[in-house]
Amino acid sequence: MPVASRLPQIALRAALAAGLSLFASLAGALTVVPYSPAALAAAQKAGQPVVLHFHAGWCPTCKAQDKVFETLKSDPSVDVTLMQADYDTEKALEREMKITSQSTLVVFHGATERTRVVGETDPATLKALLKRAL
């Protein structure tokens, strides 16, 4: 079948995928976004649950954490924003927050730090940690 005749089907599938993605975000679940000072400030000012993940692409522990977070993106009980801060470039933020290792997770509800952990990869423990932000 020529591509031109399949365009309506392709467009419909794309629209359905976008709609499902929107529905998932409205239902609430883990959202993973890049860190930015403005995004963190806005989330904290709004009193939202947010977790900073000091992440390095070369870090095997961070990769293991990423796999767990990927599974939690569809879990409505974990309605939290996880911001990935690049461990190799966010040196001022690391100094300010006294971060000494990649794979560190800092849990906030608004501007209040609730807890932090380094190197944790157990799925149940990570889920419970994220829920501490709620």
Side-chain angles (χ1 to χ4, degrees), residues 7-35:
L7 285 178
Q9 289 177 330
I10 293 169
L12 178 60
R13 287 185 184 143
L16 285 172
L20 289 174
S21 176
L22 176 62
F23 177 74
S25 68
L26 291 175
L30 180 66
T31 303
V32 179
V33 299
Y35 161 79

Side-chain angles (χ1 to χ4, degrees), residues 83-102:
M83 294 186 182
Q84 286 191 337
D86 188 323
Y87 182 77
D88 295 323
T89 61
E90 294 293 343
K91 297 303 181 187
L93 179 63
E94 291 165 19
R95 280 189 299 277
E96 176 187 333
M97 296 190 69
K98 297 178 175 56
I99 302 298
T100 59
S101 181
Q102 73 282 357

Side-chain angles (χ1 to χ4, degrees), residues 102-123:
Q102 73 282 357
S103 76
T104 299
L105 295 155
V106 183
V107 179
F108 293 94
H109 185 88
T112 303
E113 182 177 332
R114 294 223 167 139
T115 192
R116 62 173 65 194
V117 67
V118 179
E120 183 60 62
T121 59
D122 176 69

